[in-house]
Amino acid sequence: MSPWRLWLAVTLTMVAFAANSLLCRIALTQSSIDAASFTLLRLVSGALMLSLLVLMRRRPLAGHGSWQSALALFGYAAAFSFAYLALATGSGALLLFGAVQATMIGVGLYRGERLGTGQWLGLMLALGGVVVLLLPGITAPPLASALLMLLAGACWGCYSLWGRAATDPLAASAGNFLKALLPALLLALWLMPSLRVDALGVVCAIASGALASGLGYALWYRVLPALKATVAATVQLSVPLLAALGGLLLGEGLSWRLVLAACAILGGIGLVIRARASA
């Protein structure tokens, strides 16, 4: 793959990841679909798209994925949807990304990894940004929704860590999406009286699952081997920023609190990545 095609693919992937936040927010604020239905439809369409891509490669679907990863995937998708009932697009994406990175760093520390001075400074700066974002005030996001998004990030961080051992990431993702349909269906059945769908909500859910998630993950797995680990981690810093810019299309302004928190969180994570690369 030529350099310009590589970076075009990377750009499209980051836009797809950011689009998940925007599509979910549009569905839950501008349509009548509920969060449980959005979650189920997103996972169904993602499972179908990933399964189709695996079958097109003439690979078997059976035997891939794990229930551990599937439950983490479901936890992420469900908490993500319910959090966006009240969170702005940019705030939600920022909290999600910060929680993902914090989870992965925390697991590394638990396993005996040691952080240098620069990494500790970056981690403290990022955590300070989360605190700034969540401090009480007019522009603070609702605490319950913020905690749900932090939970979604923790689930995705675990999902990412467990997925590193997969020999075929695309097939593993397809298997995990298929297995995650069971808890998603159980959640929908439990909330059956409050389920609602409409055309716009269904379109957004399918686009989020099949395009932003399914095709987005497939494209990311294709370009990932061509990127250094630090470059792959660094380019993902753009996702919350792209989501926040997308939120402007929905009339969501950029508060000084959000800008300051974004600088602290993304800057802190950037320091951790840079220090790790130097080490």
Side-chain angles (χ1 to χ4, degrees), residues 190-254:
W190 183 45
L191 299 175
M192 180 69 76
S194 61
L195 297 186
R196 302 178 308 277
V197 294
D198 65 0
L200 177 59
V202 170
V203 168
C204 287
I206 292 175
S208 177
L211 303 180
S213 296
L215 287 181
Y217 297 161
L219 190 57
W220 181 240
Y221 295 141
R222 183 173 181 182
V223 303
L224 196 55
L227 299 175
K228 293 182 179 179
T230 51
V231 174
T234 302
V235 295
Q236 292 181 69
L237 294 172
S238 64
V239 174
L241 301 179
L242 291 171
L245 292 175
L248 295 177
L249 301 176
L250 303 180
E252 299 173 355
L254 292 177

Side-chain angles (χ1 to χ4, degrees), residues 54-120:
V54 172
L55 293 175
M56 287 175 63
R57 294 165 51 197
R58 297 184 179 180
R59 300 286 182 85
L61 277 173
H64 292 286
S66 69
W67 281 106
Q68 175 181 254
S69 293
L71 290 175
L73 175 62
F74 164 72
Y76 150 74
F80 180 91
S81 299
F82 281 93
Y84 264 130
L85 286 170
L87 285 181
T89 308
S91 298
L94 189 58
L95 287 169
L96 176 73
F97 184 79
V100 170
Q101 297 299 320
T103 299
M104 298 179 78
I105 293 171
V107 170
L109 290 173
Y110 176 77
R111 291 176 176 174
E113 182 179 336
R114 295 292 179 262
L115 300 184
T117 303
Q119 291 172 302
W120 277 114

Side-chain angles (χ1 to χ4, degrees), residues 1 5-11 13-14 17 104 156 160-161 163-170 173 215-236:
M1 186 181 296
R5 286 186 177 181
L6 173 63
W7 287 106
L8 176 61
V10 169
T11 300
T13 304
M14 297 304 105
F17 289 167
M104 298 179 78
W156 187 255
S160 300
L161 288 169
R164 286 178 174 177
T167 55
D168 188 341
L170 190 64
S173 292
L215 287 181
Y217 297 161
L219 190 57
W220 181 240
Y221 295 141
R222 183 173 181 182
V223 303
L224 196 55
L227 299 175
K228 293 182 179 179
T230 51
V231 174
T234 302
V235 295
Q236 292 181 69

